[in-house]
Amino acid sequence: MGAMQQGGGSHGRWPGGASSSSEIFRRTGTVRAVRVCEPRSWTTESGSTLTVSAGGWWVTGPDGTGRGVDAAEFPKLYERHRADPQGMYRRRGTVRAVQVSEPGTIATLEGPADYRAGDWIVTNDGRNYWPVPDATFRASYEREPSGPDG
């Protein structure tokens, strides 16, 4: 894998050979989420071992895969689902994302995460970045219309 990259912002240098121009996507779908009382680690699809700190959240997607989310970031990314107050959350908000053409590693809040060519690097605020495999990205994000005609 390439050298570790910091995120680049919507007009900065994005990692992985991606162009500096990001697009806006809406987060879609629901997840189950619970608070973790002690640090919890998991291995990503690309083989990175990441760890969420105690007090963070363990999020399980519809496909059954789980991942940690930093406690401070969770309310920016999820809202309680009214139909099921027992741990179901709706993915909320928009993000900026670019698809990378080269493999590499990016610093995330949960540790260094490897990504593969074709994966997406996503940010919700220009400081918090995370890689998403292409198939997961396509199932979980919808491109926002770019103008009055979409």
Side-chain angles (χ1 to χ4, degrees):
M1 292 286 165
M4 179 142 50
Q5 304 274 323
Q6 295 293 334
S10 62
H11 299 291
R13 183 172 174 266
W14 284 75
S19 69
S20 62
S21 150
S22 60
E23 295 182 71
I24 299 173
F25 294 85
R26 176 158 304 286
R27 294 166 42 82
T28 63
T30 57
V31 298
R32 291 248 176 231
V34 295
R35 281 271 176 138
V36 295
C37 298
E38 55 189 53
R40 184 169 180 177
S41 296
W42 73 102
T43 302
T44 67
E45 190 176 302
S46 62
S48 300
T49 300
L50 303 178
T51 303
V52 65
S53 300
W57 291 80
W58 185 253
V59 175
T60 305
D63 64 357
T65 60
R67 66 195 171 283
V69 176
D70 181 79
E73 294 299 308
F74 186 84
K76 299 174 192 175
L77 300 169
Y78 300 93
E79 63 188 4
R80 189 173 291 278
H81 192 288
R82 285 182 274 174
D84 180 5
Q86 303 300 318
M88 184 66 81
Y89 288 81
R90 185 181 331 275
R91 297 172 42 138
R92 60 178 279 199
T94 58
V95 297
R96 289 195 165 275
V98 293
Q99 191 169 29
V100 296
S101 60
E102 302 169 4
T105 303
I106 192 165
T108 73
L109 295 175
E110 294 79 27
D114 294 335
Y115 54 86
R116 299 175 178 145
D119 287 352
W120 293 78
I121 303 297
V122 179
T123 183
N124 63 320
D125 62 6
R127 293 181 302 275
N128 178 25
Y129 290 81
W130 63 94
V132 179
D134 183 53
T136 303
F137 186 87
R138 291 179 187 284
S140 305
Y141 297 84
E142 294 176 354
R143 183 173 275 114
E144 283 285 283
S146 58
D149 297 323

